[in-house]
Amino acid sequence: RKEVEQDPGPFNVPEGATVAFNCTYSNSASQSFFWYRQDCRKEPKLLMSVYSSGNEDGRFTAQLNRASQYISLLIRDSKLSDSATYLCVVNLRYNFNKFYFGSGTKLNVKP
Amino acid sequence: EAQVTQNPRYLITVTGKKLTVTCSQNMNHEYMSWYRQDPGLGLRQIYYSMNVEVTDKGDVPEGYKVSRKEKRNFPLILESPSPNQTSLYFCASSLSGDKNIQYFGAGTRLSVL
């Protein structure tokens, strides 16, 4: 069983749409959570960390649901430049040096 | 400019010919890590290092070696590459593991024939 699972998509949305991705994790000992963005075959870059209370950065909102073991990413007012693959990442309380990546959710924002 | 530099960016080699992919960071980060990325599987951690001379296995260490003799460098060594090691490789660094942001190199695309 994979540590982290994501819907691969693609999600095809028009500019200005609101889109949400979920990511489920299997290990209840997961400690830290992140969303990274990866443009086509380029290096991943941190989009945002996910805090227990939820957090927002401009058009992006991340939430954590420990009871159901998932994290979510909401993108409001989608831009063409948001087209990318979004990677969910977790690490574990008892070994925070090991990171587990989901296989990513692809987003295509169309004019 | 803060960066993680990997070399080479592209490499085609043959089965069994030893190779090294270098990784260097200029941010004085303690933590460094290697990942491979394959379609449908996402990034999988190969090895990581918490500091000089401290390394540990990730999820897919078979067929790879690493060393951390200096803080800034963390080379990935394939002693006898095989075709199933054809992949896109990323090096990353961060201040420490845990909650810290990982900064990634631009990637090395390796083909083993």
Side-chain angles (χ1 to χ4, degrees), chain A residues 2-3 31-32 34 36 38 41-46 49 51 87 89 91 95-104, chain B residues 31 35 37 39-43 45 48 50 56-59 88 90 96-102 104-106 109:
Chain A
K2 289 185 181 179
E3 291 282 346
Q31 170 175 272
S32 298
F34 311 87
Y36 277 74
Q38 185 176 27
R41 304 309 266 175
K42 294 197 171 181
E43 73 273 23
K45 294 184 180 177
L46 182 74
S49 301
Y51 304 123
L87 308 175
V89 186
N91 65 5
N95 187 351
F96 51 77
N97 291 302
K98 287 185 76 171
F99 288 86
Y100 299 93
F101 282 70
S103 53
Chain B
Y31 180 90
Y35 298 88
Q37 186 173 32
L41 296 177
L43 277 83
Q45 198 167 24
Y48 57 92
M50 292 78 77
D56 206 349
K57 296 177 181 178
D59 274 346
L88 177 58
F90 289 104
S96 64
D98 198 19
K99 295 179 172 54
N100 285 279
I101 300 167
Q102 291 189 74
F104 285 80
R109 188 174 296 279

Side-chain angles (χ1 to χ4, degrees), chain A residues 2-109:
Chain A
K2 289 185 181 179
E3 291 282 346
V4 180
E5 303 250 24
Q6 293 183 253
D7 182 342
F11 284 56
N12 298 309
V13 303
E15 267 188 294
T18 295
V19 61
F21 311 134
N22 276 351
C23 161
T24 58
Y25 59 93
S26 60
N27 195 324
S28 59
S30 296
Q31 170 175 272
S32 298
F33 308 87
F34 311 87
W35 284 103
Y36 277 74
R37 171 197 167 121
Q38 185 176 27
D39 293 296
C40 188
R41 304 309 266 175
K42 294 197 171 181
E43 73 273 23
K45 294 184 180 177
L46 182 74
L47 180 66
M48 54 200 307
S49 301
V50 186
Y51 304 123
S52 296
S53 56
N55 47 305
E56 189 173 307
D57 183 1
R59 297 182 293 108
F60 300 86
T61 300
Q63 297 215 307
L64 167 63
N65 185 318
R66 283 194 183 272
S68 300
Q69 295 187 192
Y70 74 84
I71 66 172
S72 64
L73 177 68
L74 182 77
I75 306 175
R76 288 180 298 278
D77 189 22
S78 300
K79 312 289 184 194
L80 295 176
S81 57
D82 293 334
S83 296
T85 297
Y86 292 84
L87 308 175
C88 171
V89 186
V90 306
N91 65 5
L92 303 178
R93 190 177 308 127
Y94 51 82
N95 187 351
F96 51 77
N97 291 302
K98 287 185 76 171
F99 288 86
Y100 299 93
F101 282 70
S103 53
T105 297
K106 187 168 175 58
L107 172 66
N108 296 319
V109 181

Side-chain angles (χ1 to χ4, degrees), chain B residues 34-62:
Chain B
W34 276 103
Y35 298 88
R36 60 178 289 173
Q37 186 173 32
D38 302 289
L41 296 177
L43 277 83
R44 292 179 292 166
Q45 198 167 24
I46 303 171
Y47 271 96
Y48 57 92
S49 169
M50 292 78 77
N51 213 325
V52 175
E53 303 289 5
V54 183
T55 63
D56 206 349
K57 296 177 181 178
D59 274 346
V60 288
E62 296 80 18

Side-chain angles (χ1 to χ4, degrees), chain A residues 43-44, chain B residues 4-7 21-25 31-36 43 47 72-76 88-93 102-108:
Chain A
E43 73 273 23
Chain B
V4 179
T5 304
Q6 291 180 232
N7 279 298
V21 185
T22 63
C23 176
S24 179
Q25 50 93 3
Y31 180 90
M32 297 185 75
S33 185
W34 276 103
Y35 298 88
R36 60 178 289 173
L43 277 83
Y47 271 96
R72 62 183 293 126
N73 295 322
F74 189 44
L76 179 70
L88 177 58
Y89 291 86
F90 289 104
C91 178
S93 75
Q102 291 189 74
Y103 296 88
F104 285 80
T108 295

